[in-house]
Structures are given as C-alpha cells and as structure tokens.
Amino acid sequence: MSTPVNPQLVSENIHDLQDRLARLSPDRDVRIVAVTKGFGVDAPRAALAAGITMIGENYAQELVAKHEELSSEERERIEWHFLGRLQRNKVRSLVSIVSVWQSVDRVELIDEIARRAPGAKVMIQLNLSEEPQKGGAPLSEGAALVAHARDLGLDVVGLMGVGTAGDAADSSVAFGTLVALAEELGLPERSIGMSDDLEVAVGQGSTMVRVGTGLFGARAPRTGV
Ligand SMILES: *Cc1c(COP(=O)(O)O)cnc(C)c1O
C-alpha cells in the first residue's frame, strides 16, 4: 500500500519550493524533478496539476505500474526521469516510458540503452563519496563514460549525483567537483540536490533538484520488491 498524498498540500509545497529556488538562484533557472517513489499514481497527478512535468522514479516495476494507471493525456505531459539503480535487463521494459535516464553509471548500461533507445537522453551518475551501497561511477570514470555514450549516439545532457546524507560540507565539495566536470565536458545539466541538501546543491550550481519527501511527505518504508 502506498501513502496517499494531499494534492492541495503538494501544490503548496511546489509553489514554496519554486519561490525558495528563485531566491537561492535569482540568475539561473533551477528546475524541479518531483520524485514519486513510494507513493501511488496520485503523486505524479498532483505534481502535474501543479505544473511540474518532470517526474522521477527509482524502481522499474513501480514506474511501469504508475504509467499504466495514467490517462493518455497525462502520459503525454509527463517526462519520466529514471533515478534508481538499474539492471540491464530492466531497460527493455522502460524504453517506451522513460524520457531521461539519469542513473547511467557503467558501460553495459550505456550499451543497452543505446541499443534499445537510440539517441536517448542520459545523464552519467557519479558516486562522489564512493560509498559502495550508492549507485554511480567513480569520478575518475566520468569523462570516459560520457565519451562512450556520445560515441554510441546517446544525447548526454548532464551529470547526476547524490550528496552525503547528513554531511553538508562533504556534499558541498562533492557537488562542486561534479559541476566542474560537467563544465569541462560541456554538459548543461547538473542534477544535484534533494530535499535535505538542495540549498548546498543550488549554491554549487545545480540546474535540477530531485525532490520527494519535501513535496509529498514521508515515504512508507520500502518492503519486499
Ligand atoms: C529518493 C531520491 C530522491 C528524492 O529524495 P528526497 O529525500 O525524498 O527528496 C532524489 N534522488 C534520488 C536518486 C533518489 O533516490
């Protein structure tokens, strides 16, 4: 069972977040990806109703289930961003749904996406804190992965990273490193910043924050698959 969302509250949270981002970054537009994992189809619907069209999901099955519940009009408006750790064999079930693959972190995944979804938009995810339980490639592999994806005709739009939970100073350094590499490689998007570290991320040059709990409230703990 997923936690229900209150569309009125979600709309208020979205407007508050937009105001906050405009204050934090007066000169640069920072866009919002609404992360709906752990919630039902009412979460992407509430985000859409408030004008947010970029919706993020972490789990293939959950994304497919939500997509199937949406109307064709809603499907046309949503741009799904895949954010989670991705097994190669799940790519096929997602190619007709996902617009931006943000969590691409290894050669085999690049090869599979290029084969199944030629020219797709991808981001390379970096694991800057090198915590093994997190997805993402080591910083030292970032440039080579970007080059490989470009060679295969993928549209590499940016870099994605997850900060170090509870450590703003560490996250700030990590985000700065990611932004520097994105600049060096000519990548416009820097998908950094979540509910708890978006200020630090925007300060370092985020162009896209990925926010779940800050919009929809606390998620129920994930059980089973
Ligand atoms: C869950 C998740 C988010 C959103 O996290 P919140 O703390 O709920 O804002 C963003 N990015 C990724 C990769 C996630 O897994």
Side-chain angles (χ1 to χ4, degrees), residues 33-37 39 57-59 82-85 102-103 125 160-162 191 193-198 209-217 219:
V33 176
V35 181
T36 57
K37 66 169 178 242
F39 295 94
E57 274 289 335
N58 286 60
Y59 305 103
F82 196 82
L83 308 176
R85 301 198 81 164
Q102 288 208 13
S103 49
Q125 181 181 355
M160 188 269 259
V162 177
S191 173
M194 310 187 357
S195 299
D196 292 333
D197 58 17
L198 65 89
V209 292
R210 308 178 309 269
V211 183
T213 50
L215 300 181
F216 302 110
R219 286 182 285 274

Side-chain angles (χ1 to χ4, degrees), residues 114-193:
R115 193 160 76 92
R116 303 263 180 204
K121 283 193 167 76
V122 301
M123 296 191 192
I124 301 301
Q125 181 181 355
L126 299 178
N127 182 347
L128 296 154
S129 55
E130 314 221 338
E131 295 164 85
Q133 75 277 14
K134 274 199 211 159
L139 176 67
S140 58
E141 291 174 17
L145 290 172
V146 168
H148 184 67
R150 284 175 167 162
D151 282 347
L152 295 188
L154 291 171
D155 182 8
V156 186
V157 295
L159 299 178
M160 188 269 259
V162 177
T164 308
D167 191 337
D170 202 60
S171 296
S172 182
V173 172
F175 292 153
T177 304
L178 181 145
V179 169
L181 182 63
E183 275 167 5
E184 191 184 315
L185 299 174
L187 299 170
E189 298 287 358
R190 305 88 197 252
S191 173
I192 47 176

